[in-house]
Amino acid sequence: MSSESSDIEEGLSFRPKFDANGLVTCVATDIATSDVLMVAHMNEEALRKTIATGEAWYFSRSRQALWRKGETSGHVQRVVEMRLDCDQDAVWIRVEQTGAACHTGRHSCFYRRIENADGGVRLSFVDAARQFDPKTVYRK
């Protein structure tokens, strides 16, 4: 193992490894329930703002824009703890979620179960109750 790899994996230097698009994957979980709420991406600015403000900031790949979670819906994520994985290319944030995390109005973005059924695959809803109407909140 090289000295650099050892430092990244075992040291205390904060050196996030962004991908070719300048992004790092972020997993957000609910501090109270441990539910996985969402997976999103952060660029350097979003990561910096999250650390500085204690609120979750992300980078939208579809809009190519920085966004603060809850800026439109009011459903903010207050960061309680941030962790970085072993090779510093993924971030895990434990948050206090206000309202729903998913833009579909659900508590979590993970509201469908994958099931093996009759030689095929199907999806079924789990914990899929909406907490808000996205058409009203996002004016779509």
Side-chain angles (χ1 to χ4, degrees):
M1 178 181 299
S2 74
S3 171
E4 182 177 349
S5 292
S6 178
D7 183 48
I8 288 172
E9 293 175 359
E10 301 296 334
L12 297 178
S13 296
F14 181 64
R15 295 170 42 195
K17 183 178 174 185
F18 297 95
D19 67 15
N21 296 313
L23 302 174
V24 62
T25 301
C26 179
V27 177
T29 61
D30 188 303
I31 191 77
T33 65
S34 297
D35 289 345
V36 176
L37 298 174
M38 57 184 279
V39 175
H41 296 88
M42 293 179 167
N43 63 3
E44 187 176 356
E45 184 179 7
L47 184 57
R48 200 171 354 100
K49 282 181 175 268
T50 299
I51 293 166
T53 67
E55 288 189 349
W57 286 78
Y58 299 105
F59 184 80
S60 170
R61 294 179 298 171
S62 60
R63 294 186 316 252
Q64 290 293 296
L66 188 70
W67 59 283
R68 182 179 58 83
K69 179 66 178 161
E71 66 189 342
T72 302
S73 67
H75 299 164
V76 298
Q77 293 177 337
R78 189 182 76 75
V79 178
V80 176
E81 181 182 33
M82 292 183 75
R83 294 191 188 187
L84 202 57
D85 79 334
C86 57
D87 54 0
Q88 300 199 31
D89 67 356
V91 176
W92 172 27
I93 59 175
R94 299 174 70 204
V95 303
E96 287 179 347
Q97 176 68 53
T98 300
C102 186
H103 73 282
T104 66
R106 294 174 173 96
H107 173 68
S108 168
C109 294
F110 294 89
Y111 55 88
R112 291 174 291 188
R113 178 182 298 133
I114 300 169
E115 298 175 341
N116 186 358
D118 302 320
V121 176
R122 74 172 180 220
L123 298 178
S124 64
F125 287 102
V126 291
D127 303 322
R130 283 198 167 92
Q131 295 182 8
F132 70 88
D133 180 358
K135 291 178 186 169
T136 303
V137 171
Y138 301 114
R139 307 269 190 243
K140 290 183 178 179

